[in-house]
Structures are given as C-alpha cells and as structure tokens.
Amino acid sequence: MTAIGFIGLGSMGLPMARNLVARGFEVTGFDLRAEARNALVEAGGKAADTAAAACAGADMTVLMVVNIAQARDVLFSGGVLDALAPGGAILLMSTCPPAAVAEVSAEVEARGFAFVDAPVSGGVVGAAAGSLTIMVGTGDDAFARARPALDAMGAKVVHVGKDAGQGATAKVVNQLLCGAHLAVAAEALSLAERLGVDTTAMLDILGGSAAASWMLRDRGPRMLEADPTVTSAVDIFVKDLGLVMEAGREAKAALPMAALAHQMFLSVSGRGLGAADDSQVIRAYRSLQGRD
C-alpha cells in the first residue's frame, strides 16, 4: 500500500483524495478547513493538523493547492520535504506557471526527491468521477512510479514530456480554450437574453448543435441561475488566463482571444464577484448591455 500525503482538500482536491482511498491507497490529508479534513476521514482516509504531519513517512505527496506560492510554502517552509520518506515523490497537480514549476522541480530533486508535474482538467465533475485528464511532465521512472495514483484520479493520463513544466505548459494551452469557450458561451446566451429568446430553449438547441462545447453544456445552465452553486470561481480563470497571457508574452505569441476573455473575467472580479461561480462571467456582458 502506498502512503500518500494529500495537501489541499478543496472542491477538486477532496474528491481526488477520496478516489485514492477507494483504490486502496493510504491517504492522510491536510486542509485549513476542519470540515474538509473530516470529510476525508468519513471517506476512509486520515487527517492531520499540519501539512508536514500529513506527509510524515509518506511515499508521495499530492499538492492540490491554489498557486505556486502555496506549493513553495508547503514544500520548503511547511516541512513537507523534511517529513516525506527518503526518496519520496512530489506530485504537483495545481495549475501553475511552467517556468516556476521547473524551478521548484529542480529544488525538490536537489533534495533527493522525485518531482511529477501533473496538472489536471475536468473540473469538480471530473474530480468526483475519477475521469480527469492529467497532463504529466516528468522522467520515465517517476512517471511509472506515479502512474497508479494518477490512474486512480484520472481517466486520461498523458505523458507529455520528460521535463517538469511541460505538463504545466499543456495545461496553459488547455486553459486558453476553456476560458475562451466559457466567455463566448456567455456572450451567446447574453445575446439570446437581449433578443428576447427563451434562454432555456436556446441552451437546449446550442447544446445539441455544432455550436456545442463542454463548457457550454456544463456552465450554460448555471449562467441562467441567479445565484448558482460555486464549482469553480471567477478568480480561478482570472489566474489561469493570466498564466496564459504570461506564457504568450514569454513566447512572443499573440493571443487576442485569450486577452479578451481575461478582460471579461477581470471585469466581473473587479465588481467584487471573484468568488462567484465562473459561469457568472455572463454578468460582464449583461453589464455592457445595461442589464446587470
């Protein structure tokens, strides 16, 4: 049995940890929220009061934290590397800047640990179903070692390259499309509203036509709700599309669609709605039309 310390039991992290437990891994989790730790215990896992305690003697640590700053803090200031079993592996599964991921990897490997760059796509639904797409950048040996745990959390595990940062790069490209698809889906539904079309009927039409996208089908119904349950916040796309733009600047690649989508999410966040469900990017269009 592989012992795993799981750091970050949020809306995606908790179901991912549950899936590891269901596959027979010994999972000890840490999150700042006691209710998240308790939920893991109820699923058959264990909980710890600190990140270091969650990783004490573990074979690997899964990081599902907010950003690279939190990852660095957990690893180097929070005592995780000191607690991990000698030769253990770090699986960074958050969306982070590729260059920063490569830097952290070098520091981790210099301490004698393996590092697996493995961001995910599929949202809360995919995390709960164990059907995530996982983009992996790491050496062959580390990939083989991490594969059983990755398979427990994802249905599509793609080894995109042997260097840390390559998984993060693939995720950046993925998030460009996700953010743009979500923003343009909101634009289409806001136009339907403006024209007086029955939006429920319009969503049914679009979801079954050539215009359909996964983001439209998943987020569209929530765009029509006044206060939908939050599965992924507006500020997540503010961050992720910011990473897209950063990657574009470094590569001197023009990304006009990503830039416009980023501005739409920023406009909603700037109104104090950054914690709202990301489907509420539709409010940016309603505001432009004087309807919100």
Side-chain angles (χ1 to χ4, degrees):
M1 180 181 292
T2 300
I4 297 177
F6 201 108
I7 313 302
L9 301 171
S11 58
M12 290 187 66
L14 179 58
M16 290 164 67
R18 284 172 173 155
N19 285 331
L20 287 167
V21 171
R23 287 287 191 96
F25 291 94
E26 181 182 327
V27 181
T28 303
F30 171 73
D31 192 277
L32 292 175
R33 298 170 301 118
E35 60 269 27
R37 300 194 300 269
N38 294 338
L40 180 60
V41 172
E42 291 172 2
K46 301 176 183 178
D49 293 330
T50 67
C55 300
D59 303 296
M60 66 178 60
T61 293
V62 173
L63 297 180
M64 196 62 185
V65 293
V66 172
N67 52 36
I68 196 67
Q70 282 194 4
R72 293 188 68 92
D73 184 62
V74 166
L75 290 172
F76 305 120
S77 301
V80 164
L81 290 183
D82 295 325
L84 198 62
I90 300 294
L91 277 63
L92 179 58
M93 306 191 76
S94 309
T95 301
C96 299
V101 171
E103 291 173 2
V104 170
S105 173
E107 294 180 56
V108 168
E109 291 177 346
R111 294 276 298 271
F113 300 98
F115 186 91
V116 180
D117 166 28
V120 304
S121 181
V124 174
V125 173
S131 61
L132 294 169
T133 294
I134 307 177
M135 297 148 267
V136 187
T138 192
D140 291 337
D141 290 344
F143 178 63
R145 181 176 174 186
R147 186 66 191 259
L150 297 173
D151 283 339
M153 295 180 281
K156 178 180 283 189
V157 178
V158 183
H159 192 193
V160 299
K162 296 184 179 182
D163 298 323
Q166 290 179 297
T169 298
K171 181 60 187 293
V172 163
V173 176
N174 183 85
Q175 291 308 93
L176 188 163
L177 279 175
C178 286
H181 283 177
L182 181 48
V184 78
E187 183 171 312
L189 287 178
S190 72
L191 176 61
E193 289 178 342
R194 179 75 175 188
L195 297 175
V197 178
D198 183 316
T199 50
T200 300
M202 194 72 242
L203 185 58
D204 184 42
I205 292 167
L206 295 174
S209 76
S213 70
W214 189 94
M215 295 302 284
L216 171 69
R217 288 191 292 265
D218 186 73
R219 302 305 206 269
R222 299 207 295 277
M223 290 180 187
L224 307 184
E225 297 178 24
D227 188 23
T229 300
V230 179
T231 61
S232 177
V234 166
D235 276 345
I236 296 295
F237 269 107
V238 171
K239 173 182 78 79
D240 287 2
L241 286 170
L243 297 180
V244 172
M245 299 309 300
E246 180 181 330
R249 284 193 300 272
E250 292 176 356
K252 292 184 171 58
L255 304 173
M257 298 299 292
L260 181 55
H262 191 210
Q263 291 298 307
M264 303 312 284
F265 283 100
L266 273 172
S267 72
V268 176
S269 181
R271 294 169 57 193
L273 297 171
D277 188 70
D278 59 21
S279 64
Q280 296 311 290
V281 68
I282 194 171
R283 296 192 184 193
Y285 295 98
R286 290 170 177 160
S287 180
L288 286 172
Q289 296 162 4
R291 302 182 70 245
D292 185 24

